[in-house]
Amino acid sequence: MASLLLAIIYLAFISLGLPDGLLGAAWPSMYPQMGVSVGSAGIVSMTIAACTVISSLMSERVIRRFGTGKVAAVSTLMTALGLFGFSFSSQFWMLLVFALPYGLGAGSIDAALNNYVALHYEARHMSWLHCFWGLGASIGPYIMGFALQGGSGSWPLGYQIIGGIQAVLTAFLFFSLPLWKKDIAAESDGNPPVHLSLREIFAISGAKQLFIAFFCYSAIETGTGLWAASYMVQYRGISESDAASWAALFYFGVMLGRGISGFVTGKLGDRKMIRIGQIVILAGILLLAIPGPAMLVCAGLLVIGLGCAPVYPSIIHSTPDNFGRETSQSIVGVEMACAYCGTTFMPPLIGLVTSRISMALYPFALLFFLILMLVMCEWLFKVKNREKAAMQK
């Protein structure tokens, strides 16, 4: 039963990843038809992410009332409705309206499943969980690239295909609801979850550093995925269809890296995996910034994806150990909210800067957030090391 439930969780994360690369892949074809600037993609992304922040902060209450299974199923349904709405949007304001159900659907499922796996499964399962997210996220741009082969006006077909897949996954998740009916005491493992206010959460030592690190990681991940195709089209002179497909290399790198991470994270530990990931991201950004053939851009996106792979799941998996199992759902909910704040505010800022000045600044914006994330992670590790040393005295 546990193995079947884990398979369901993996399936849910495929559905969570499927739409993530679509906007960036389709935007070079969408924005001329909408009559808006290239930087307007950041407004759509910001709207989606703002809704996920709201639902992430509410996730503990929602999950406590309805259960993880129902939250996963309903959230996937809301995402499907948002995607179908995108496909029928002929004006920019319509995209913003349908961004609401998509964003609200994403936040609670993300917080619920991440905390569930962090509490009940080994680190390798957390890596593989996010590997399945990468699978969904890498498939999405390829589907959009296939749709765009019919011309720049074919982007609605890409959204319709992904929306249809989401609808099927929704039905599957609703049929799986009996699998989620487990004893609450067994789930808590003798540590009943404790509800904390935002003030209490931010007062915990190391929490601020953790949340800033999540903010920066999300800025890197979303910024890379959203602007990769536009960078290739505007700055490197690559065709729209090729750019849409090649942008998927970033998500493929994330998927591949998380698949590999699952086999080694148990031996290396969460902290080493985070540090290794940050070094690899740096190498990818350098490849992206070097002038040269298109293959350098492709290699850079792939390497950045490989570097991103272990960072996110390793930070989440270490949350119960760093902050306590009974408070982990509260912490993870705010982690997701801070991550989506990075998604909300930073990609539009990157879009504004690159559209006003030059798309050549795109890799350097990613570098800034990488450096800040590295500093916050090392600060967090130092704080927790001091706490453990004090407890051992």
Side-chain angles (χ1 to χ4, degrees), residues 173-254:
L173 287 168
F174 272 110
F175 281 120
S176 72
L177 286 179
L179 296 175
W180 296 90
K181 294 180 179 179
K182 298 183 65 177
D183 183 73
I184 296 176
E187 287 191 2
S188 64
D189 294 333
N191 296 283
V194 176
H195 173 69
L196 299 175
S197 67
L198 284 176
R199 179 179 296 180
E200 291 171 329
I201 291 171
F202 277 91
I204 298 173
S205 62
K208 297 182 183 68
Q209 293 88 336
L210 170 70
F211 298 149
I212 294 173
F214 256 70
F215 178 93
C216 293
Y217 173 85
S218 188
I220 294 170
E221 181 183 282
T222 309
T224 302
L226 181 61
W227 297 115
S230 297
Y231 176 72
M232 286 187 277
V233 172
Q234 293 190 6
Y235 187 66
R236 294 300 184 108
I238 299 170
S239 70
E240 292 180 357
S241 60
D242 285 344
S245 297
W246 292 352
L249 286 170
F250 166 68
Y251 296 105
F252 178 77
V254 173

Side-chain angles (χ1 to χ4, degrees), residues 45-46 49-50 52-53 211-223 335-350 369:
S45 176
M46 181 175 65
T52 59
V53 170
F211 298 149
I212 294 173
F214 256 70
F215 178 93
C216 293
Y217 173 85
S218 188
I220 294 170
E221 181 183 282
T222 309
E335 284 177 358
M336 297 297 104
C338 290
Y340 286 122
C341 281
T343 301
T344 302
F345 298 110
M346 293 305 102
L349 179 61
I350 294 173
F369 291 112

Side-chain angles (χ1 to χ4, degrees), residues 11-12 14-19 22 76-77 79-81 83-84 135-136 139-144 157-173:
L11 184 65
I14 293 176
S15 73
L16 191 63
L18 273 171
L22 286 184
T76 307
L77 174 61
T79 304
L81 294 175
L83 290 170
F84 279 120
L135 174 62
I139 291 173
Y142 275 115
I143 292 176
M144 183 58 71
L157 176 61
Y159 279 108
Q160 289 166 8
I161 294 172
I162 299 298
I165 295 173
Q166 290 283 80
V168 173
L169 290 173
T170 298
F172 196 90
L173 287 168

Side-chain angles (χ1 to χ4, degrees), residues 38-39 227 230-236 288-289 347-366:
V38 63
W227 297 115
S230 297
Y231 176 72
M232 286 187 277
V233 172
Q234 293 190 6
Y235 187 66
R236 294 300 184 108
L288 203 64
L349 179 61
I350 294 173
L352 177 64
V353 171
T354 54
S355 62
R356 292 288 180 88
I357 304 176
S358 172
M359 190 59 77
L361 295 177
Y362 166 65
F364 298 97
L366 300 180

